[in-house]
Amino acid sequence: MGTDLSQIRNIGIAAHIDAGKTTVTERILFYTGKNYKLGEVHEGTATMDFLQEEQERGITIQSAATTCPWTKDGVEYKINLIDTPGHVDFTIEVERSLRVLDGAVAVFDGKEGVEAQSETVWRQADRYKVPRLCFINKMDKLGADFEFSFRSIRKRLGANPIAVQYPIGFGNELEGIIDLLGMRAYYFDSDSQGAVVTEKDIPAHLAEKAAEWRHELVEKAAELDDNLMERYLEDESTITIDDIKKALRKGTIALQCNPVFCGSALKNIGVQRLLDGVIDYLPNPTQVPEVQGTNPRDKEQKLSRKHSNTEPFSALVFKVVSDTHGDLTYVRVYSGVLKKGTRLLNPVNGKREIASRIFEMHAKERVPLDEVGAGNIVAVVGIKDSITGDTLCDSDHPIVLERMDFPEPVISMSIEPNTADDKRKLSEALVTIRREDPSFRSEYNEETGQTIISGMGELHLEIIKNKLVRDMKVGVQVGQPRVSYREAIAGPATGCRGTFKKQTGGRGQFGDCTINIEPYTKEQAEADGLKFNDNVAFVNEVVGGAIPKEFIPSIEYGIRMTAKSGVSAGYPLIDIKVTLTDGKYHEVDSSQVAFEQAGRLALIEAVHKARSILLEPIMKVVILTPEDYFGNVTGDLASRRGMILEQEDRSGIKVITAEVPLSEMFGYTTVLRGLSQGRASNSMEFAKYAPMPMNLQKEVIAASAS
Ligand code: GDP
């Protein structure tokens, strides 16, 4: 194990597509890769070597986590680079990586500054309280503008950016980077792919600019620390580089500021200094809050674990990758030590697991480990029944770490195997896909013999279909994608009674209960401390034996099952609180089954009284279109019941943010191409469920009945 926790950084690169995440990642692997012989690169065939290596790395950069050794000031650090996808359609992938990393580098395009999609990624990182550095990339691009990009971070993200670097030139003229702390210039030798770095004085024509930016840097660092502020006010010149670094580190970890770096990944300028920045400013695993969880034997009991090897073992599974040599289960170890061959508990499903082998994943190789301690990220082989989001822990000290929030699937599709052989292959394939991707669901319908798969969007289902058919070679017929609606109630209803009575010769069946029902939200449930499984809260107010205690869970079960399958149109009933107020029982005839049925009948009665409404998924859609097609695009959005939330001009490009019902968005990417001669692009993610217009609601209910 060896590594001191202060020498670990678990980070991700947060960027939307095209900002340069892949290129930055490749450069990081290149400069940190133990196996890359830079010597060879010097000798003539430089570009070829690099390209070939780039291709090989193309595979490794998709690794869920890669360990990169990085030496700074004589100390060897371990940077675990966690893959974060850039496509907003895969919010879930972004969420799960944000969950296990301690800090991130947000990459921006130096010409565009903050773009609409950078905002989405930034807000997600906000939600998980991830400390961030900013890297203004592509400073070599024609029209790149450091100051504009820097300001857009403040203006559009509401962040507190603090520049620690300034570029030497821009566009074709980009030569290097000025470090505003040390006030030195750095040049990156292009023959060695930037591996050879030369330090020089700041060029004379930038001396004044650098002094201005340094002044701002010192002032903003001082604002982060009261002691430093006092000294700053007395005499700015007493403030050392170390003072500034400490204040920035503290501020970054406390989410009060974002140090800003710049460069060009493509031209190999600035990446090593960014890695130094990761060490200097992003937290080590002990500097983030202790991990929280609950006791699986008593869900009310909150537990936490310190980031320490002496605590009982706990880890979170954040990605499962199927591999012909056995699945790789990526875990973040939060506490304790995991030894090779140890038995573990998955407290979520109660299964025992064995970590038969442990690997640290490097760019080009897997390094087998005998054991791994807190704060580390590794891939484990041997885990069979654990999926993304599950906890693995010491069986004597069980803990369920806070689960990741997976949004409900909003779209579904039927799928039927062609042959009996395909049927067998399909069920195996679905288990595999589900293990890798918990935002995907599948359910087998006995009656129709169909399997229904559901996911986060049309694209998500498309990818799953391709995986089944192309990669896993399962022969299937798929149906049209269908929207997953939800049912809710318009208002409260009281005194709703369900009586189940059956006389069949000998012993009869009898159960009777009365309930109140009201609209209720997750936030309310949290405030009231009520469980909100499947978005339904249940409260028992029956006292004094109107119904014997042992039947109460049966009533709850009946209600929950009925809510799950829906009352009006076969879609889950959500966001309700059901209060059991009264009931009756019979000495002989009452049974669990009878009370389940009574619960079911009472809920149906309640939903009719309270008036049912159908909710439909609304997507947040961001569209980029050249101005010429703006009218076409907005006109079309209006015909899709779209609501435009924001529009913005960006050098001839219009950026439209709108909310549109998912049911209106099937095949939209193709339509948009048609509207704009192929020039507009869009991205989509789930925003919320909202009530449907009455006429459409009727159509859906009628369709479900037929
Ligand atoms: P990703 O989609 O965020 O992973 O971005 P990529 O790394 O694939 O980069 C998108 C495009 O931008 C590619 O064509 C890259 O060659 C280009 N690119 C990346 N970094 C730079 C840079 O520093 N300067 C310039 N000019 N182009 C870059």
Side-chain angles (χ1 to χ4, degrees), residues 13 15-27 61 86 107 109 135-142 174 263-269:
I13 296 182
H16 69 75
I17 281 188
D18 250 20
K21 195 190 84 174
T22 311
T23 315
V24 172
T25 307
E26 281 172 351
R27 277 9 173 218
I61 56 168
V107 178
D109 181 318
F135 182 64
I136 302 184
N137 188 31
K138 304 199 189 182
M139 284 309 303
D140 63 305
K141 227 169 125 176
L142 196 67
L174 180 72
S264 161
L266 190 67
K267 296 285 166 66
N268 307 311
I269 293 176

Side-chain angles (χ1 to χ4, degrees), residues 167-367:
I168 305 173
F170 49 84
N172 276 335
E173 250 102 84
L174 180 72
E175 290 180 60
I177 299 295
I178 295 171
D179 167 24
L180 296 171
L181 277 87
M183 288 300 261
R184 301 291 295 163
Y186 292 88
Y187 296 87
F188 299 76
D189 166 46
S190 60
D191 289 342
S192 63
Q193 274 90 40
V196 177
V197 184
T198 323
E199 184 185 322
K200 291 189 186 163
D201 288 338
I202 295 177
H205 72 283
L206 285 174
E208 204 177 314
K209 200 58 162 180
E212 270 171 36
W213 280 84
R214 173 163 167 112
H215 178 73
E216 181 174 329
L217 161 66
V218 179
E219 182 172 3
K220 292 187 103 182
E223 282 170 6
L224 295 165
D225 184 306
D226 290 346
N227 288 333
L228 205 59
M229 187 46 118
E230 255 175 54
R231 284 172 46 203
Y232 171 76
L233 293 174
E234 260 167 37
D235 180 2
E236 182 177 341
S237 70
T238 63
I239 293 179
T240 64
I241 296 179
D242 221 34
D243 291 332
I244 303 175
K245 268 193 191 162
K246 274 200 190 121
L248 286 188
R249 178 172 182 81
K250 198 175 111 193
T252 308
I253 294 174
L255 303 168
Q256 289 164 344
C257 71
N258 305 97
V260 179
F261 294 74
C262 63
S264 161
L266 190 67
K267 296 285 166 66
N268 307 311
I269 293 176
V271 176
Q272 297 98 316
R273 306 299 311 193
L274 178 66
L275 286 167
D276 287 344
V278 165
I279 306 297
D280 282 339
Y281 304 120
L282 291 179
N284 72 50
T286 65
Q287 290 172 312
V288 294
E290 284 176 14
V291 66
Q292 305 293 319
T294 50
N295 182 346
R297 294 176 191 145
D298 171 11
K299 297 214 166 61
E300 307 298 314
Q301 191 193 353
K302 299 257 183 280
L303 299 173
S304 68
R305 295 273 187 268
K306 292 196 184 61
H307 300 283
S308 154
N309 287 348
T310 56
E311 290 268 291
F313 174 76
S314 72
L316 187 78
V317 175
F318 68 95
K319 176 121 184 172
V320 179
V321 180
S322 300
D323 188 298
T324 40
H325 306 298
D327 291 354
L328 280 180
T329 301
Y330 284 86
V331 301
R332 154 109 197 214
V333 180
Y334 280 97
S335 61
V337 174
L338 174 64
K339 289 193 168 58
K340 193 172 79 174
T342 332
R343 278 180 171 279
L344 299 170
L345 173 70
N346 176 338
V348 179
N349 60 17
K351 297 260 170 72
R352 306 276 159 168
E353 299 274 21
I354 295 184
S356 42
R357 286 186 291 164
I358 304 170
F359 294 104
E360 199 170 75
M361 306 296 282
H362 286 246
K364 275 195 144 182
E365 52 175 358
R366 301 171 174 188
V367 179

